[in-house]
Each structure stands twice: as C-alpha cells, then as structure tokens.
C-alpha cells in the first residue's frame, strides 16, 4: 500500500485542481479516504464492504506482538482474528478464534447446514452466505436433458433450499448455475478474503489470493450465527516456484507433483503457500486449480500471493474496483521478505513434466511418459474407456481452450476420440462463453458430450452404461479425487487424474501408452503426425458471456417466507437434538467395525445415489461405513453382530445395537476421514449410537466434524496399539470426568477370555470443544449459551 502521507498529498492536489477548475468546495481528506475504502465484496451484496483497513490494523497488532516477518497465510488468517491483541498464537498448537468474511454451501451439504441453522432459532445469517446447486445433477444424456431431469427429481430439495435461503438471508444459485468453486472465483473470492465453505475443495479460492477453507456444516452454522470460528493455528508449508510453465506442462502438474511429494496426509494441519518467480507464469484460474487439489494432500488450504494475473482476472470478471483497492493494500497481500516456513519445497517449472496420478489414490504420481510402462507392469488396463474433463478443479475458459486446441489438431487429420469423452463446464458463464467462442463445438466434433454445469461424474453423479460393476477398466479425468468407486461406484474402475489437455490427448489415442510429447498418431490419410503443445487464451478476448441469470437474491423483508419440511418426506427431516453426556465414563463399548487400511469419507458416507438423502439423517444413515473394509473378514459392509454372532451390513448392525442400548466405537487406521468435508460421516455414527472413533490419525475436517456432533475422535498414543484391539473386544474409556486439553484418556481393552490391558488415547480437544462433548453437540452448546 502507498504510504498514507503520499495518499494524502495526492488527494489534496486532486481536490485543489477540482476546486479551481470546477468551482467545487474542497472535501476533507479523511472523507475521501473513507469513500475510497468502500468497495463491495461482490455486486450481489453492494452494502457488504471489503475491510482491508481492519485487515491492516490486525496485521499491525500481530506483527508487533510476534516481532517477525509474516507469511501471506499468517497475514490473512491473523488479520481476521476476533481478538488480535490477546489471542495466543503458536503454529500447530493453539486454537484461533476467527471472523470469516463469508460462507458458501453446496446443495448436498447446505441441506444439513440449513437444518442445523433452523434448529438454532436465529432469524438471519450474520455474514454474507450463499447456496449453490451443483451436486444433485446426474450425468446421463447431456446438459439440458440432465438438468431438466434433476430439477424434476430434486424439486422438494431445491424448494427447501430456495425458501430457507429467502427466509434466513442467504443467496441462492439455482441448479444449472455451475460448480460452487467456479462461481466463488468468478463472483466472491478476492485477495485477502477469509471464506469458509461446506465442501473440501473450497481452497480453490486461493487462486485469487484468499484463504478459503473447507468445513463441515456445523462450522458454517457457527459463522452464520455470528460466533467466532475456531481453527487450530496452521503451520505453513512453502512451495517455491522457479522457472515457467511451457509446452504440455500445466498448472495441474504442479499439484500432481506436490501430491506425490507430500502424500494424502502430508499437508495436514498446514496451509500450503506458493511463492517465488514461477508464480507469474501461472494464470489466475491455473492457480485456483493448484489450490483446489491441495485438499488431496490434507492441507487446511492453499494460497497464492496477489499479482498481475489476479488483477487481470478480477477486471475481466467485472471487479476492477476490487483490483484497484487490492493494489493499494498489496503489501498485506504478499508474504513478508524473510518470512519462515515450517517446510519448504522447491519446484523448477522449467523441469516439470506432465503428470498423471493414480489409480485409487491422488498421490500416486507418474510422469505421463512413464505411466504406460507402469500400467503394464502392474496389470492396470491400458485401454481408456472414458476421458472426462471439467470439474471444480479444471473447468475454466483456459482449460477448455487448451483442450479444444488439442481436439482441433486431431480433427484436422480426420481423427476423433477412440475413448468416450465428456466435458463439464464450470459455470453458466463458462458454458455460454465457450459456446460463443466455438470451443464447445470443437469438443463435440471430436466426439465429446457436453454435460450440465455441475459436479457430475467427479462426485459419482454418473449413470454410466458402458461397463458393468466389477468390470476392470480405466478412465482418465481432469478431476481431483480418484478413490475406489468414487466416480462410478465400480471398485474395479482404475481412475487416473491429469490435466484437461492430457485427458483430451489420451482420449484421442485411447491408451495409457500414449505420450503426446513424443509419440505419433496416424491420421485418416494414413500419415503419421504429432500433436503440438496446446496454446490458448487464459481469458476470453471479448467479455465473458454471462449466460442465463440463475441467481436468487434474498428478499429485504423475509417475514412472510415459509420453510416447509413435510413429516413424511423421504428427502428432508428436521433435526432432533442429540443426548447430552451423562457425566460417566464410556463403559463396555462394542466395536462396530475395525477398519483395515484407507477409510475416506466416501467409505464412511458414500455419495452417488446417496446424495438424495443428504437432508434426511435417518435415511442416509443406511450408508454408514458400507465401503470400509472389515479387518475381521476382509469384506466391505459385513460385520459380526456381537449379540447374534451373525454377519450383516454395518448400518443394520449399528441400528441393532442402538435399539438394544449398546453403545459402540469404530477403530480406524491412518488419516481416517480423508477426502470430502461431508459432515454426514460424523452425523451418521452419532445418530446410530456411536460414542467414539479411535484411529492412528485423522484428517482435519473429519476430526472437527466428529467433535461438533458430540463424538470422541481419539488417537492411539502408540500407533502400534491398533494391533492390540480385536473386533470381538469391548472397550471402556476412562477419564472423561477430568477431561482436559492435552490430558490423555485411558482405554481398557476387555478381551473375551477375561484378560484386560490398558492403553492411552490422545486427543486434540480444547476447552470449547470439551463443552461441545458435554452438551452433546456444538449445536446443543450454542442453544445453551443463547438461553444463558
């Protein structure tokens, strides 16, 4: 930011010349400065202003206290502290109380978030909030037909969300608007914003210089209720980029490389902060791609420093005033020289090669040049059945342009895709613009089907017809996540993640053995040719075409609004408060399942066809842990009932225990609950009688979600103790009467032969979170505080 004295001088000179030339009176400098500072967060909320002045004030307070240079992550996070003068700040240890600027929710998670907000009894949201309808649209026939079908099937849910938004002051983006994260980037993200969203890929907004964090619905309710939001003070991992991107190497390859380095849990508890001269070679939407997929390494979020690429994007999306204001405060939107990172990774973009990660996990990284050989060795199918581009990670104008550039070359030689090929525009604005500029038609001509502006196959909303369940096959996508069964519910689908242009090239070739940098294709005329590296504009040369207007403003007066939830509905269900802790230790807990290996939120609460029950807790609880592998028999959705000794589905067994008053526990492995932010993975075990989840380690969002619902997420003090517990044992958790931060709990393992052994269990609860447990849930505690 320019020095205050210089700004004053400039304004005084401007005022003097105006007074002389126009005969107008001279305004007081402070009034002009105040007026300059009033820039709206978005054109949808003209009276909600960006508070860079407050950010600056808080940063100054914290910098004086810490007496050291600050990273960009620290500036934005600490700049939103509720009490910067007194807040304890220690990376990786203390809990911060923060005041986020806004909340965003996608339709699958917004249902439960709004049901919880309704239960709070509050009349209006305290911060700007939005709902985005992108998760409930199934890919089947193509964009328009799929959208019409979704509106018909999900009418009850869409009506609930629209009326709840109108009642409580929440903006509503109708189905067909696009994917939540693309809409946020186009309309709501800005440098320095602190935004929380009920989706794990909310960090997408870091591409525009914001700290955007994925959370569960209960966290969103806290912020919408005006309560300070708690976050464990994150560590900061620095990624220094040198060189520049060129050729077939894309922004996606940066995060694919980082995922290979850090693995799916290497970023847990940390913000990944990109910096260095290589940043300027990446477009704003490319930076968003990198931040988006940072969720796959467990990072709290990721962020890039404000630069000319962001300024260009802001201007192109109608937010030039925000760009001008950001220019004035730029010193607070970049890291301080000499700041310290807890870990530093360096990547030379000149040397970075195109990557493809998978199958079954997003951190299994391979250079594209090598994946075919690895696939042959591992027995992965080389034939590519389907190539899919789009998703919240890669559906920008630039992404579509680079894919179209590849497709044009194939068409020029008379070729079309050998694999099936689908295209998902990120938003209605992207769809309309690529239709106008011809990209969509090129992608259709090469064999593609343009799907609705929605998540679709990326989250399992895919009515796939070309393979049967259990049939071994390969797909390549430009998505972010490729867990077993993620896209099509087929555990034998080998899903690989790469850039849109590589997906397009591989779909044309039809095989994983193809390397577009070196290999040749044979044209229709029999002549061999090589694809040239794609080149495309990062932003349209003309203005964006906004397409159809799909936004519903909340009314100024909502007194006449009604939100109806039918008591007989199978899609929506009002919430009943969970029971309070009875003040006693948890004795003789039955083990519902001891999970073997990876257990993501997809394993705990599957998506796909289950998305239709996201607003009905009892119905969706029928998918509890159906994807988790039981260590006792190596099977999914098959556990022993300790009373009947019969094996049956996990949800049925949990319901049996609940009916007979048997409280239970889950035993898990490493990074339990990685993946989506879905809080249903925490609500379901609580609803069906679970009391604790004991694992080697947790993913950040899931651990918080469990705490919010009154469950005990606990970790083995000695990870080897995982092997001491058997599915037939019973557990007693002691020490809850003296439950305190940093104080381990005891666990008594009772074996069927009558022997016992004691182990220690660690936890990360702070005082506030312990109050959630005692009250039965965070929502219960909120109501207690209101009554007080």
């Amino acid at each position: 930011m320019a020095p205050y004295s210089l700004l004053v001088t400039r304004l005084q000179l401007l005022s003097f010349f105006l007074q002389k030339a126009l005969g107008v009176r001279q305004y007081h400098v402070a009034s002009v400065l105040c007026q300059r500072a009033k820039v709206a967060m978005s054109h949808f909320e003209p009276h909600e202003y960006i508070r860079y002045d407050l950010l600056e004030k808080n940063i100054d307070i914290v910098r004086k206290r810490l007496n050291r240079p600050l990273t960009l992550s620290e500036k934005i996070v600490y700049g939103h502290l509720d009490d910067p003068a007194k807040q304890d700040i220690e990376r990786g240890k203390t809990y911060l109380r923060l005041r986020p600027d806004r909340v965003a929710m996608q339709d699958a998670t917004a249902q439960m978030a709004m049901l919880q907000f309704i239960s709070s009894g509050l009349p209006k949201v305290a911060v700007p909030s939005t709902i985005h309808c992108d998760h409930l649209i199934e890919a089947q026939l193509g964009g328009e037909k799929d959208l019409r079908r979704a509106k018909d099937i999900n009418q009850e849910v869409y009506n609930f969300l629209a009326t709840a938004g109108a009642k409580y002051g929440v903006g509503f983006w109708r189905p067909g608007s696009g994917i939540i994260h693309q809409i946020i980037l186009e309309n709501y993200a800005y440098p320095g914003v602190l935004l929380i969203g009920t989706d794990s890929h909310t960090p997408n907004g870091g591409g525009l210089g914001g700290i955007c964090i994925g959370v569960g619905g209960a966290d969103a309710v806290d912020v919408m209720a005006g309560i300070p939001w708690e976050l464990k003070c994150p560590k900061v991992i620095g990624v220094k980029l040198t060189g520049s991107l060129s050729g077939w190497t894309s922004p996606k390859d940066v995060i694919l490389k980082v995922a290979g380095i850090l693995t799916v849990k290497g970023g847990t508890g940390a913000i990944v902060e990109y910096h260095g001269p290589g940043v300027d070679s990446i477009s704003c939407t490319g930076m968003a791609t990198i931040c988006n997929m940072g969720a796959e390494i467990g990072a709290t979020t990721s962020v890039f420093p404000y630069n000319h690429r962001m300024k260009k994007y802001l201007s192109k999306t109608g937010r030039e005033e925000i760009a001008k204001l950001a220019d004035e405060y730029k010193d607070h939107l970049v890291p301080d020289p000499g700041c310290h990172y807890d870990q530093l990774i360096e990547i030379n973009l000149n040397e970075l090669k195109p990557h493809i990660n998978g199958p079954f996990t997003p951190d299994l990284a391979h250079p594209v040049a090598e994946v075919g050989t690895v696939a042959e060795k591992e027995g992965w199918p080389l034939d590519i059945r389907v190539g899919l581009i789009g998703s919240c990670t890669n559906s920008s104008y630039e992404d579509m342009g680079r894919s179209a550039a590849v497709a044009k070359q194939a068409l020029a030689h008379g070729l079309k895709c050998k694999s099936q090929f689908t295209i998902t525009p990120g938003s209605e604005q992207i769809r309309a613009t690529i239709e106008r500029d011809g990209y969509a038609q090129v992608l259709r001509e090469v064999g593609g089907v343009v799907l609705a502006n929605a998540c679709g196959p990326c989250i399992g909303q895919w009515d796939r017809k070309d393979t049967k369940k259990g049939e071994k096959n390969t797909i390549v996508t430009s998505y972010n996540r490729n867990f077993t069964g993620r896209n099509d519910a087929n555990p034998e689908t080998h899903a690989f993640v790469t850039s849109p242009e590589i997906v397009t090239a591989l779909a044309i070739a039809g095989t994983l053995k193809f390397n577009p940098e070196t290999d040749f294709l044979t044209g229709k005329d029999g002549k061999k040719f090589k694809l040239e590296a794609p080149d495309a504009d990062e932003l349209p040369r003309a203005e964006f075409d906004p397409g159809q207007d799909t936004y519903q403003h909340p009314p100024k007066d909502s007194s006449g609004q009604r939100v109806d939830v039918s008591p007989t509905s199978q899609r929506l269900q009002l919430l009943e408060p969970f029971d309070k802790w009875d003040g006693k230790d948890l004795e003789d807990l039955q083990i519902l399942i001891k999970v073997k290996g990876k257990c993501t939120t997809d394993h705990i609460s599957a998506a796909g066809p289950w998305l239709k029950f996201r607003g009905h807790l009892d119905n969706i609880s029928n998918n509890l842990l159906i994807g988790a592998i039981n260590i006792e028999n190596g099977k999914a959705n098959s556990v022993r009932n300790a009373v009947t000794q019969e094996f049956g589905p996990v949800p049925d067994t949990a319901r049996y225990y609940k009916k007979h008053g048997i409280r239970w526990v889950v035993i898990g492995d490493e990074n339990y609950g990685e993946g989506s932010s879905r809080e249903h993975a925490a609500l379901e075990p609580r609803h069906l009688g679970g009391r604790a989840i004991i694992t080697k380690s947790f993913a950040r969002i899931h651990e918080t979600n469990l705490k919010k619902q009154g469950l005990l997420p606990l970790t083995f003090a000695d990870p080897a103790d995982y092997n001491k517990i058997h599915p037939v044992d019973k557990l007693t958790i002691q020490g809850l009467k003296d439950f305190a931060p940093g104080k381990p709990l005891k666990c008594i393992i009772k074996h069927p032969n009558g022997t016992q052994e004691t182990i220690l269990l660690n936890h990360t609860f702070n005082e506030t979170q312990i109050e959630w447990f005692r009250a039965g849930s965070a929502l219960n505690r909120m109501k207690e505080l209101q009554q007080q």
Side-chain angles (χ1 to χ4, degrees):
M1 181 184 176
Y4 182 86
S5 58
L6 182 59
L7 280 175
V8 169
T9 301
R10 288 173 178 171
L11 286 167
Q12 286 173 334
L13 286 170
L14 176 63
S15 180
F16 173 81
F17 286 119
L18 282 172
Q19 185 181 19
K20 291 292 184 184
L22 302 176
V24 295
R25 65 184 178 85
Q26 188 169 350
Y27 288 94
H28 192 276
V29 169
S31 299
V32 179
L33 283 172
C34 181
Q35 191 173 18
R36 284 170 62 88
K38 284 198 170 185
V39 174
M41 280 198 238
S42 84
H43 66 270
F44 295 105
E45 297 134 357
H47 303 298
E48 298 285 351
Y49 302 113
I50 294 174
R51 292 297 310 276
Y52 282 152
D53 57 332
L54 181 58
L55 185 79
E56 179 178 56
K57 177 183 175 183
N58 289 352
I59 290 171
D60 287 345
I61 292 170
V62 172
R63 182 181 277 113
K64 288 175 183 176
R65 288 182 56 202
L66 299 182
N67 193 30
R68 61 172 173 79
L70 299 177
T71 66
L72 171 61
S73 308
E74 291 179 305
K75 288 181 179 181
I76 301 175
V77 172
Y78 303 161
H80 286 82
L81 285 169
D82 183 50
D83 188 354
K86 297 180 181 178
Q87 171 72 61
D88 289 335
I89 300 172
E90 187 175 357
R91 288 186 195 171
K93 293 187 178 181
T94 57
Y95 278 85
L96 307 178
R97 291 167 62 85
L98 302 167
R99 293 285 184 178
D101 297 301
R102 64 181 310 119
V103 172
M105 299 168 279
Q106 41 95 335
D107 50 355
T109 51
Q111 295 171 64
M112 195 56 67
M114 292 309 297
L115 286 166
Q116 290 177 86
F117 188 81
I118 290 169
S119 295
S120 75
L122 296 168
K124 288 279 185 182
V125 296
V127 301
S129 304
T130 50
I131 294 169
H132 304 259
C133 295
D134 62 359
H135 270 58
L136 300 178
I137 302 168
E138 185 179 54
Q140 190 181 67
L141 301 173
E144 292 183 9
K145 292 179 180 178
D146 293 345
L147 181 57
R148 285 198 301 268
R149 181 169 173 266
K151 288 179 178 178
D152 181 53
I153 292 172
N154 303 307
Q155 182 179 9
E156 179 185 18
V157 172
Y158 292 147
N159 180 65
F160 166 73
L161 293 173
T163 55
K167 178 71 174 176
Y168 297 103
V170 179
F172 179 71
W173 288 84
R174 300 182 184 92
S177 302
I179 304 172
I180 176 174
H181 311 303
Q182 183 67 30
I183 293 175
I184 288 172
L185 201 71
E186 292 172 351
N187 299 281
Y188 298 116
Y190 60 83
V193 70
L194 177 59
L195 179 152
I196 68 166
T198 61
D199 189 278
S200 56
H201 292 103
T202 300
N204 192 79
L208 202 43
I211 293 292
C212 304
I213 301 176
V215 299
D219 276 342
V221 172
D222 279 356
V223 179
M224 291 190 293
I227 297 172
W229 174 59
E230 289 199 345
L231 175 72
K232 193 170 189 179
C233 187
K235 295 183 178 180
V236 187
I237 298 173
V239 179
K240 184 179 180 179
L241 302 178
T242 58
S244 60
L245 292 175
S246 62
W248 284 93
T249 306
S250 72
K252 186 67 163 281
D253 297 307
V254 176
I255 185 58
L256 294 177
K257 178 71 173 179
V258 170
I261 295 170
L262 289 177
T263 78
V264 291
K265 62 178 182 177
T268 303
I271 294 175
V272 180
E273 183 173 310
Y274 294 86
H275 62 283
V279 167
D280 286 340
S281 74
I282 305 173
S283 66
C284 179
T285 53
M287 290 187 268
T289 291
I290 295 167
C291 292
N292 176 293
M293 201 175 155
E296 272 49 74
I297 57 174
T300 300
T301 192
S302 302
V303 67
F304 277 82
Y306 177 63
N307 68 357
H308 70 281
R309 297 279 194 149
M310 295 182 192
K311 181 177 181 178
K312 184 177 180 181
Y313 184 82
L314 283 168
S315 297
K316 200 69 174 180
T317 52
R319 294 174 289 171
E320 190 172 1
E321 291 303 310
I322 294 178
K324 290 177 180 177
L325 189 64
D327 282 344
E328 293 183 20
Y329 286 86
K330 185 173 182 178
D331 287 350
H332 303 304
L333 304 174
V334 296
D336 287 340
C339 65
H340 170 72
Y341 295 103
D342 295 283
Q343 181 180 351
L344 184 63
I345 298 169
E346 295 194 34
I347 297 176
N348 184 342
L349 300 180
N350 292 333
E351 299 172 356
L352 184 64
K353 288 292 186 179
H355 273 63
I356 182 168
N357 288 22
F360 306 125
T361 184
D363 60 348
L364 187 56
H366 320 275
V368 171
E370 300 173 12
V371 70
T373 302
V374 175
E376 282 184 318
K377 180 181 177 182
E378 298 293 336
W380 303 334
L382 291 173
D383 175 57
I384 297 170
R385 295 288 183 86
V386 191
L388 307 99
I389 66 170
S391 86
C392 63
T393 317
N394 277 112
S395 56
S396 68
Y397 185 82
E398 181 183 35
D399 290 327
M400 296 298 163
R402 285 174 69 87
S403 293
V406 175
K408 280 182 182 178
Q409 297 179 61
L411 290 169
H413 289 84
L415 296 187
K416 292 191 175 185
C417 292
K418 289 184 179 179
S419 310
Q420 293 183 39
F421 187 44
T422 69
I423 301 98
T424 304
S427 67
E428 170 60 11
Q429 179 167 274
I430 294 296
R431 182 208 63 78
T433 306
I434 65 171
E435 289 285 1
R436 180 197 70 193
D437 294 353
Y439 291 168
Q441 185 57 33
V442 169
L443 295 170
R444 287 191 190 97
E445 288 175 5
V446 85
V449 175
V450 178
L451 301 175
N453 314 323
C455 300
C458 183
I459 59 161
Q461 285 284 49
W462 184 15
D463 185 18
R464 189 178 180 190
K465 301 293 188 184
D466 65 295
T467 59
K468 296 178 181 178
K469 191 170 183 178
E471 183 181 349
K472 199 172 180 181
N473 73 100
T474 285
I475 65 173
V476 292
T477 82
S478 70
Y479 302 163
N480 42 49
R481 206 162 270 168
N482 59 347
F483 302 138
T484 302
R486 165 82 176 182
N487 304 119
D488 61 3
N490 180 3
E492 290 300 325
T493 292
H494 293 56
F496 294 84
V497 177
T498 186
S499 67
E501 51 266 48
I502 294 292
V503 171
T504 307
L506 292 178
I508 291 166
T511 175
L512 282 178
K513 288 283 285 182
F514 181 69
N515 176 11
E517 287 192 301
T518 58
D519 296 344
F520 288 80
L521 295 168
T522 303
K524 193 174 181 180
D525 59 3
K527 296 180 180 178
K528 292 187 179 298
F529 72 96
K530 196 170 79 167
L531 293 170
E532 297 295 327
D535 184 34
D537 294 330
E538 65 180 278
L539 294 165
R541 296 180 185 182
E543 297 305 309
F544 275 109
D545 183 338
Q548 299 179 39
D549 183 5
T550 55
Y551 179 71
Q552 171 187 293
H553 287 270
K556 291 182 180 179
D557 181 7
S558 63
S559 57
Q561 291 288 333
R562 286 180 56 83
V563 182
D564 293 323
V565 177
S566 169
T568 60
S569 173
Q570 295 301 302
R571 299 285 302 269
L572 299 164
Q573 180 186 47
L574 292 174
L575 297 175
E576 296 291 333
F578 290 130
D579 59 300
K580 292 182 64 173
W581 175 57
D582 62 9
K584 302 176 182 178
D585 288 336
L586 298 174
E587 297 184 350
D588 293 330
L589 297 174
Q590 185 63 54
I591 296 171
L592 176 66
I593 182 174
K594 182 179 179 182
V595 178
K596 178 183 178 182
K598 184 185 283 282
C599 189
T600 71
T601 47
D602 282 310
H603 294 90
I604 304 167
S605 177
W610 291 96
L611 285 170
K612 61 178 173 286
F613 297 125
R614 285 285 181 87
H616 197 293
L617 180 55
D618 193 57
N619 281 346
I620 200 169
S621 293
N622 289 321
N623 76 0
L624 175 66
L625 286 159
I626 61 175
I629 301 301
N630 180 10
I631 200 169
E632 187 174 4
N633 57 12
K635 296 180 179 180
N637 202 26
S638 176
V639 295
R640 183 195 301 272
N641 184 313
V643 178
T644 67
Q645 294 301 307
E646 296 176 354
F647 280 85
V650 181
D652 293 356
T653 307
R655 288 188 186 277
Y656 180 95
Y657 290 161
K658 181 179 180 180
K659 180 179 178 181
H660 292 83
I662 301 170
R663 296 184 293 185
W664 51 264
V665 61
V666 169
I667 307 300
D669 211 316
E670 293 274 8
N671 206 29
Y672 184 90
E674 71 173 277
S676 169
S677 69
R678 68 191 65 153
E679 66 180 340
H680 298 78
L683 283 158
E684 292 174 36
R686 183 72 165 97
H687 175 64
L688 294 185
R691 298 306 302 163
I693 312 291
I694 305 172
T695 72
K696 292 181 183 178
S697 63
F698 286 97
R700 174 191 63 86
I701 300 176
H702 187 59
E703 182 179 19
T704 301
N705 286 345
L706 291 168
K707 293 176 183 177
K708 288 278 185 177
Q709 304 308 332
L711 281 154
L712 287 172
L714 307 171
T715 56
F716 297 104
D718 180 356
D721 288 343
Y722 169 87
N723 299 316
K724 293 181 179 179
I725 298 176
H726 305 286
V728 293
D729 295 337
K730 289 186 177 180
L731 306 181
T732 292
I733 298 174
Q734 296 181 334
L736 293 174
K737 292 180 181 178
D738 300 316
F739 198 12
K743 185 177 181 181
L745 298 171
K746 287 185 179 180
C747 177
I748 310 299
I749 307 170
K750 299 180 180 180
H751 302 298
N753 63 7
T755 61
Q756 298 184 5
E757 52 188 316
T758 301
I759 62 173
L760 291 179
L761 301 174
N762 290 335
H763 65 85
T764 60
F765 281 78
N766 62 20
E767 290 289 358
T768 300
Q769 295 164 348
I770 290 172
E771 290 176 359
W772 298 344
F773 169 73
R774 289 172 176 157
S777 70
L779 186 58
N780 287 359
R781 180 57 180 159
M782 184 193 298
K783 291 179 180 178
E784 287 179 355
L785 292 172
Q786 287 177 14
Q787 292 169 358
Q788 293 172 9

